[in-house]
Amino acid sequence: MMDGQTERPARDGEDGATRRRLPPAERRQQIVDEAVRFFAEVGLEGKTRELARRLGVTQSLIFNYFATKDELIDAVYEKVYIGRLSPAWPERLTDRSVPLRDRLLAFYSEYSALIFEREWMRIFMFSGLAGASLNRRYLEHLGDVILLPLLAETEALAQTDAPPKMEDVWNLHGGIVYIGIRQHIYRMPKPAKPQEEIARAIDKYLLYFGIDSEN
Protein backbone atom coordinates (compact mmCIF):
# COMPACT_ATOMS: atom_id res chain seq x y z
CA MET A 1 0.00 0.00 0.00
CA MET A 2 1.34 3.39 -0.93
CA ASP A 3 2.14 5.80 1.85
CA GLY A 4 -0.37 8.49 0.98
CA GLN A 5 -3.31 6.12 0.49
CA THR A 6 -4.03 5.74 4.20
CA GLU A 7 -3.64 9.39 5.09
CA ARG A 8 -6.72 11.42 5.90
CA PRO A 9 -7.19 14.95 4.60
CA ALA A 10 -6.32 17.81 6.92
CA ARG A 11 -9.27 19.13 8.90
CA ASP A 12 -10.08 22.81 9.13
CA GLY A 13 -7.41 24.63 11.06
CA GLU A 14 -4.90 21.78 10.88
CA ASP A 15 -1.45 21.89 9.39
CA GLY A 16 -1.47 19.62 6.36
CA ALA A 17 2.30 19.18 6.29
CA THR A 18 2.21 15.79 7.97
CA ARG A 19 -0.37 14.51 5.48
CA ARG A 20 1.63 15.02 2.34
CA ARG A 21 3.03 11.94 0.65
CA LEU A 22 6.51 11.17 1.90
CA PRO A 23 9.16 8.70 0.75
CA PRO A 24 8.88 5.52 2.86
CA ALA A 25 12.15 6.08 4.73
CA GLU A 26 11.17 9.63 5.60
CA ARG A 27 7.69 8.59 6.71
CA ARG A 28 9.09 5.81 8.88
CA GLN A 29 11.49 8.23 10.54
CA GLN A 30 8.66 10.70 11.11
CA ILE A 31 6.63 8.01 12.87
CA VAL A 32 9.58 7.00 15.07
CA ASP A 33 10.40 10.60 15.97
CA GLU A 34 6.81 11.31 17.01
CA ALA A 35 6.60 7.98 18.85
CA VAL A 36 9.61 9.01 20.94
CA ARG A 37 7.86 12.24 21.97
CA PHE A 38 4.54 10.45 22.48
CA PHE A 39 5.81 7.61 24.68
CA ALA A 40 7.95 10.03 26.69
CA GLU A 41 4.80 11.97 27.49
CA VAL A 42 2.21 9.26 28.11
CA GLY A 43 4.21 6.09 28.72
CA LEU A 44 4.50 2.87 26.77
CA GLU A 45 0.83 2.12 27.37
CA GLY A 46 -0.05 4.96 25.00
CA LYS A 47 -2.31 3.84 22.13
CA THR A 48 -1.15 3.83 18.54
CA ARG A 49 -4.55 5.32 17.64
CA GLU A 50 -3.62 8.46 19.57
CA LEU A 51 -0.15 8.47 18.06
CA ALA A 52 -1.73 8.34 14.60
CA ARG A 53 -3.98 11.26 15.49
CA ARG A 54 -0.97 13.31 16.50
CA LEU A 55 0.77 12.44 13.27
CA GLY A 56 -2.32 13.30 11.27
CA VAL A 57 -2.48 9.86 9.64
CA THR A 58 -4.55 6.73 10.06
CA GLN A 59 -3.58 3.98 12.46
CA SER A 60 -3.29 1.57 9.54
CA LEU A 61 -0.51 3.68 8.03
CA ILE A 62 1.59 3.18 11.17
CA PHE A 63 1.09 -0.57 10.84
CA ASN A 64 2.25 -0.41 7.23
CA TYR A 65 5.68 0.37 8.66
CA PHE A 66 5.57 -1.53 11.95
CA ALA A 67 3.76 -4.86 12.10
CA THR A 68 3.04 -4.49 15.82
CA LYS A 69 3.27 -1.89 18.55
CA ASP A 70 6.19 -3.85 20.02
CA GLU A 71 8.05 -3.45 16.74
CA LEU A 72 7.49 0.31 16.92
CA ILE A 73 8.77 0.36 20.51
CA ASP A 74 11.85 -1.54 19.33
CA ALA A 75 12.48 1.22 16.80
CA VAL A 76 12.17 3.79 19.58
CA TYR A 77 14.64 1.73 21.63
CA GLU A 78 17.15 1.70 18.78
CA LYS A 79 16.86 5.45 18.26
CA VAL A 80 16.89 6.64 21.86
CA TYR A 81 19.16 4.08 23.48
CA ILE A 82 21.33 1.89 21.27
CA GLY A 83 21.75 4.58 18.63
CA ARG A 84 23.32 6.90 21.18
CA LEU A 85 26.01 4.52 22.36
CA SER A 86 29.17 5.42 20.49
CA PRO A 87 30.98 2.36 19.12
CA ALA A 88 34.23 4.12 20.02
CA TRP A 89 33.53 4.22 23.77
CA PRO A 90 34.67 0.68 24.70
CA GLU A 91 38.01 1.15 22.97
CA ARG A 92 38.56 4.57 24.50
CA LEU A 93 37.64 3.33 27.98
CA THR A 94 40.25 0.58 27.74
CA ASP A 95 43.05 2.67 26.27
CA ARG A 96 45.65 2.38 29.03
CA SER A 97 47.87 5.02 27.47
CA VAL A 98 45.38 7.51 28.98
CA PRO A 99 44.87 7.83 32.76
CA LEU A 100 41.69 6.12 33.93
CA ARG A 101 40.36 9.35 35.43
CA ASP A 102 40.66 11.09 32.06
CA ARG A 103 38.94 8.18 30.34
CA LEU A 104 36.05 8.24 32.79
CA LEU A 105 35.66 12.00 32.59
CA ALA A 106 35.59 11.90 28.80
CA PHE A 107 33.08 9.06 28.71
CA TYR A 108 30.67 10.44 31.30
CA SER A 109 30.85 13.94 29.86
CA GLU A 110 29.70 12.61 26.48
CA TYR A 111 27.28 10.05 27.91
CA SER A 112 25.56 12.51 30.24
CA ALA A 113 25.12 14.99 27.39
CA LEU A 114 23.11 12.31 25.58
CA ILE A 115 20.96 10.97 28.42
CA PHE A 116 20.30 14.05 30.53
CA GLU A 117 17.19 14.85 28.54
CA ARG A 118 13.48 14.43 29.09
CA GLU A 119 12.71 11.81 26.44
CA TRP A 120 15.55 9.46 27.40
CA MET A 121 14.75 9.57 31.10
CA ARG A 122 10.97 9.35 30.87
CA ILE A 123 10.84 6.48 28.38
CA PHE A 124 13.38 4.60 30.47
CA MET A 125 11.33 5.06 33.65
CA PHE A 126 8.02 4.26 31.96
CA SER A 127 9.53 1.07 30.58
CA GLY A 128 10.67 -0.03 34.02
CA LEU A 129 7.31 0.73 35.63
CA ALA A 130 5.46 -1.15 32.88
CA GLY A 131 7.67 -4.19 33.27
CA ALA A 132 8.74 -3.86 29.64
CA SER A 133 11.99 -5.35 28.42
CA LEU A 134 13.30 -2.14 26.89
CA ASN A 135 15.34 -0.88 29.82
CA ARG A 136 16.46 -4.36 30.87
CA ARG A 137 17.84 -4.94 27.38
CA TYR A 138 19.56 -1.59 27.46
CA LEU A 139 21.15 -2.17 30.87
CA GLU A 140 22.37 -5.61 29.82
CA HIS A 141 23.92 -4.11 26.70
CA LEU A 142 25.44 -1.23 28.66
CA GLY A 143 26.85 -3.68 31.18
CA ASP A 144 28.48 -5.77 28.47
CA VAL A 145 30.02 -3.00 26.37
CA ILE A 146 30.78 -0.30 28.97
CA LEU A 147 30.59 -1.38 32.60
CA LEU A 148 32.33 -4.75 32.41
CA PRO A 149 35.34 -3.21 30.62
CA LEU A 150 35.33 -0.43 33.22
CA LEU A 151 35.41 -3.02 35.98
CA ALA A 152 38.41 -4.71 34.35
CA GLU A 153 40.22 -1.36 34.12
CA THR A 154 39.50 -0.67 37.79
CA GLU A 155 40.72 -4.12 38.80
CA ALA A 156 43.99 -3.56 36.93
CA LEU A 157 44.78 -0.42 38.96
CA ALA A 158 43.11 -1.04 42.33
CA GLN A 159 45.44 -0.86 45.33
CA THR A 160 42.99 -2.16 47.95
CA ASP A 161 42.75 -5.60 49.52
CA ALA A 162 39.09 -5.94 48.54
CA PRO A 163 38.83 -6.14 44.75
CA PRO A 164 36.28 -3.97 42.99
CA LYS A 165 32.95 -5.56 42.18
CA MET A 166 30.39 -4.94 39.49
CA GLU A 167 28.18 -3.37 42.14
CA ASP A 168 30.81 -0.69 42.68
CA VAL A 169 30.73 0.20 39.00
CA TRP A 170 26.93 0.29 39.02
CA ASN A 171 27.02 2.60 42.04
CA LEU A 172 29.26 5.03 40.18
CA HIS A 173 27.15 4.85 37.05
CA GLY A 174 23.83 5.05 38.87
CA GLY A 175 24.91 8.05 40.89
CA ILE A 176 25.79 9.95 37.74
CA VAL A 177 22.56 8.97 35.96
CA TYR A 178 20.60 10.14 39.02
CA ILE A 179 21.56 13.73 38.19
CA GLY A 180 19.32 13.44 35.13
CA ILE A 181 16.60 11.57 37.04
CA ARG A 182 16.36 14.41 39.56
CA GLN A 183 15.73 16.89 36.79
CA HIS A 184 13.45 15.00 34.41
CA ILE A 185 11.60 12.56 36.69
CA TYR A 186 11.43 14.27 40.07
CA ARG A 187 11.36 17.78 38.56
CA MET A 188 14.02 18.94 41.00
CA PRO A 189 16.78 21.40 40.09
CA LYS A 190 19.89 19.83 38.67
CA PRO A 191 23.31 20.79 40.07
CA ALA A 192 24.50 24.19 38.91
CA LYS A 193 27.55 22.54 37.37
CA PRO A 194 26.74 18.88 36.57
CA GLN A 195 30.19 18.17 35.12
CA GLU A 196 31.82 19.15 38.40
CA GLU A 197 29.56 16.70 40.24
CA ILE A 198 30.44 13.99 37.75
CA ALA A 199 34.14 14.67 38.35
CA ARG A 200 33.60 14.48 42.12
CA ALA A 201 31.85 11.12 41.79
CA ILE A 202 34.69 9.75 39.65
CA ASP A 203 37.34 11.02 42.06
CA LYS A 204 35.56 9.36 45.01
CA TYR A 205 35.33 6.11 43.08
CA LEU A 206 39.04 6.11 42.22
CA LEU A 207 40.05 7.16 45.73
CA TYR A 208 38.06 4.30 47.22
CA PHE A 209 40.24 1.84 45.32
CA GLY A 210 43.46 3.77 45.90
CA ILE A 211 43.87 4.64 42.22
CA ASP A 212 46.06 7.64 41.53
CA SER A 213 44.46 10.16 39.19
CA GLU A 214 47.61 10.07 37.03
CA ASN A 215 47.30 6.33 36.38
Side-chain angles (χ1 to χ4, degrees):
M1 185 176 294
M2 295 298 292
D3 182 37
Q5 289 181 315
T6 55
E7 297 183 81
R8 62 168 175 78
R11 298 192 180 100
D12 291 343
E14 289 184 334
D15 180 359
T18 59
R19 278 154 294 285
R20 64 186 175 89
R21 286 182 173 85
L22 297 175
E26 187 175 343
R27 175 64 77 192
R28 185 183 189 280
Q29 188 60 56
Q30 182 196 47
I31 293 170
V32 173
D33 290 344
E34 185 59 35
V36 169
R37 291 187 287 269
F38 177 66
F39 290 130
E41 178 182 338
V42 305
L44 299 184
E45 300 302 315
K47 304 298 184 183
T48 54
R49 183 180 297 107
E50 173 61 19
L51 173 61
R53 188 190 68 78
R54 294 190 183 200
L55 282 161
V57 302
T58 62
Q59 189 179 25
S60 60
L61 184 139
I62 292 176
F63 289 117
N64 285 345
Y65 291 87
F66 303 95
T68 64
K69 181 182 174 182
D70 285 342
E71 188 175 306
L72 174 59
I73 290 174
D74 280 344
V76 169
Y77 168 75
E78 289 293 330
K79 176 179 174 62
V80 178
Y81 296 97
I82 298 302
R84 298 189 185 190
L85 292 177
S86 169
W89 281 341
E91 181 178 353
R92 289 165 56 190
L93 276 170
T94 55
D95 180 3
R96 295 185 180 179
S97 68
V98 178
L100 181 56
R101 182 180 188 274
D102 293 347
R103 287 179 264 161
L104 288 172
L105 282 172
F107 167 69
Y108 278 111
S109 293
E110 294 179 21
Y111 185 71
S112 63
L114 295 175
I115 72 167
F116 286 3
E117 63 172 41
R118 181 178 183 274
E119 291 170 350
W120 194 101
M121 290 290 173
R122 288 179 62 84
I123 291 175
F124 191 79
M125 290 297 153
F126 277 131
S127 175
L129 290 171
S133 65
L134 184 151
N135 58 355
R136 292 195 301 274
R137 288 164 56 196
Y138 173 73
L139 291 175
E140 288 172 359
H141 183 74
L142 183 76
D144 289 341
V145 303
I146 299 295
L147 303 187
L148 278 173
L150 175 54
L151 175 62
E153 295 305 299
T154 307
E155 290 173 334
L157 296 172
Q159 300 297 313
T160 52
D161 292 335
K165 300 178 181 178
M166 194 61 178
E167 191 65 25
D168 299 311
V169 182
W170 276 116
N171 286 339
L172 169 66
H173 184 81
I176 292 172
V177 172
Y178 184 72
I179 295 172
I181 292 174
R182 281 170 51 188
Q183 179 183 5
H184 296 292
I185 304 300
Y186 298 145
R187 310 290 179 86
M188 295 176 62
K190 66 179 181 180
K193 297 180 179 179
Q195 295 306 313
E196 289 187 3
E197 298 307 315
I198 290 173
R200 282 165 55 85
I202 290 170
D203 287 339
K204 289 179 181 179
Y205 172 80
L206 297 176
L207 180 63
Y208 184 79
F209 294 108
I211 299 175
D212 190 292
S213 61
E214 300 299 320
N215 290 336

